[in-house]
Amino acid sequence: MAIRTYTELAEQSKNWQHNSAPLQSGARASFAFWQVSQPRGHVLIVPGRNERPMKYTEVASEWADRGIQALCLSPEPEITDFKNYLDEFKHVFHNVWLPHVKDEFALVQGHSTGAQTAARCLATGHRNIKGADALIMSAPFAGMNYRVPYIPNAVAAMVTSFMGTWSPHEFALGQKAYDRDKWQFEGNRWTSDKERYQWMQDMFDHHPEFAPHGAKWGWVLAAQRSCTLLERVIDKLAIPHLVLATPNDRAVDGPSQRKFTQATRVDFPDSGHEIFMECDEIRNRAWAAMDDFIFKVRQNKSLSL
């Protein structure tokens, strides 16, 4: 069922069961289960930066309609090394998610930074990907979009390296703390759906800890390094993977999403950065692409048994 208001979101989100698990670093990986009675499959959702399970309530509900139970990570928004994201993913993947999956159909869904995290982890060889049948990525963060007009990317990269080293906890150029009054629907780079944009803002009002503050230099430098590391392993991604690409993205780099050369790719040139916060027409096309992809993966898996 489509979510049109924050009231509907708050009511449906009660189905999330939140938990956490300790990491070797001493930090805790946070996550939430969307409970489904007698699931026929499982999905591990890896959100983008600043995102929390509550925002994926509509998506988890739609997976449940397909008999698939979701587990959604809740990554830390401010880090200075993407290894933190990888450690969270690997720990939850192996120690929390797979014990629920057993021998049932299982896929990973990642958005933006979460897509990059999932791709890097799942591209490290069959020993680590055992248990995941497929990967779905929306607007994957595969290359830097510095969003600095008239400055070459090479120069922006050098500035990022300097500022990320010496001022990691200051907001990067053009980034700032969340200000609701300045988060206007007109001209936003996330979605063309006014209702979903509105309940997203209402969610930030009720949960200020979810507010999408801008990135700081330390995070941007970590992202720059991680994009380079992704490029080194991207062709090792052996499991079937689908890219829901946003070629006109203004948050991450659109053209770099073509780097997943072995992927099934479906372009959404009319979408903002967040396909699953888009209008129903775009979301329906995304779900149709995912349903078709999953059907083929399931079919090939059954033929190989």
Side-chain angles (χ1 to χ4, degrees):
M1 185 178 82
I3 294 176
R4 299 301 182 192
T5 66
Y6 174 76
T7 300
E8 294 175 1
L9 173 71
E11 183 60 32
Q12 290 194 41
S13 69
K14 292 176 182 177
N15 196 51
W16 285 114
Q17 295 191 1
H18 297 268
N19 210 328
S20 65
L23 302 174
Q24 287 185 347
S25 64
R28 298 190 72 85
S30 298
F31 52 88
F33 272 107
W34 185 271
Q35 292 299 312
V36 175
S37 60
Q38 299 180 327
R40 300 190 302 273
H42 300 263
V43 59
L44 173 57
I45 300 174
V46 193
R49 191 181 78 89
N50 277 323
E51 294 186 322
R52 295 293 181 268
M54 189 179 196
K55 188 175 175 182
Y56 283 82
T57 295
E58 190 173 11
V59 172
S61 176
E62 289 164 315
W63 279 123
D65 291 342
R66 291 160 171 78
I68 294 178
Q69 177 173 274
L71 184 156
C72 186
L73 281 170
S74 184
E76 286 295 322
E78 285 300 335
I79 50 91
T80 55
D81 190 338
F82 272 37
K83 182 179 181 297
N84 295 49
Y85 292 151
L86 272 63
D87 288 346
E88 287 178 343
F89 176 92
K90 290 177 181 178
H91 183 85
V92 172
F93 181 93
H94 289 290
N95 300 303
V96 179
W97 189 57
L98 285 185
H100 286 269
V101 169
K102 299 178 182 177
D103 295 324
E104 295 169 337
F105 180 75
L107 66 142
V108 176
Q109 177 185 12
H111 172 66
S112 193
T113 302
Q116 183 191 116
T117 297
R120 282 188 59 191
C121 290
L122 298 178
T124 55
H126 290 286
R127 181 179 64 83
N128 287 333
I129 65 173
K130 185 177 181 182
D133 294 306
L135 169 63
I136 295 174
M137 295 174 279
S138 57
F141 181 17
M144 297 296 293
N145 180 2
Y146 294 102
R147 299 202 299 273
V148 183
Y150 313 118
I151 297 179
N153 282 349
V155 175
M158 287 190 292
V159 171
T160 297
S161 296
F162 178 83
M163 295 300 296
T165 300
W166 297 105
S167 299
H169 303 298
E170 293 183 9
F171 284 113
L173 188 65
Q175 303 290 306
K176 58 189 71 175
Y178 172 71
D179 183 342
R180 194 192 204 285
D181 293 335
K182 294 182 179 179
W183 248 57
Q184 300 299 320
F185 174 74
E186 291 73 18
N188 84 87
R189 59 178 180 263
W190 314 112
T191 175
S192 62
D193 189 284
K194 197 165 189 175
E195 289 180 323
R196 289 187 173 94
Y197 191 86
Q198 182 63 53
W199 70 242
M200 182 167 60
Q201 284 191 306
D202 293 342
M203 179 181 68
F204 301 149
D205 287 345
H206 287 83
H207 298 275
E209 69 276 18
F210 297 171
H213 298 297
K216 297 182 179 179
W217 282 115
W219 189 93
V220 177
L221 177 56
Q224 181 173 276
R225 290 169 173 166
S226 188
C227 286
T228 300
L229 294 171
L230 171 65
E231 194 158 1
R232 294 176 185 173
V233 301
I234 204 166
D235 290 335
K236 297 179 181 179
L237 194 54
I239 59 174
H241 46 292
L242 169 68
V243 173
L244 305 175
T246 49
N248 296 318
D249 207 312
R250 291 186 290 134
V252 300
D253 183 58
S256 68
Q257 296 172 37
R258 300 192 193 103
K259 292 179 180 178
F260 296 91
T261 56
Q262 300 178 61
T264 299
R265 194 180 84 240
V266 181
D267 286 347
F268 293 82
D270 51 346
S271 176
H273 178 58
E274 299 195 17
I275 291 174
F276 295 100
M277 290 294 293
E278 270 290 358
C279 61
D280 289 345
E281 192 275 329
I282 293 174
R283 293 181 89 261
N284 291 341
R285 278 192 279 130
W287 276 108
M290 293 196 295
D291 288 339
D292 181 64
F293 173 73
I294 291 169
F295 174 79
K296 291 175 181 176
V297 172
R298 283 184 182 269
Q299 190 175 47
N300 290 336
K301 183 180 180 181
S302 64
L303 291 174
S304 65
L305 294 177

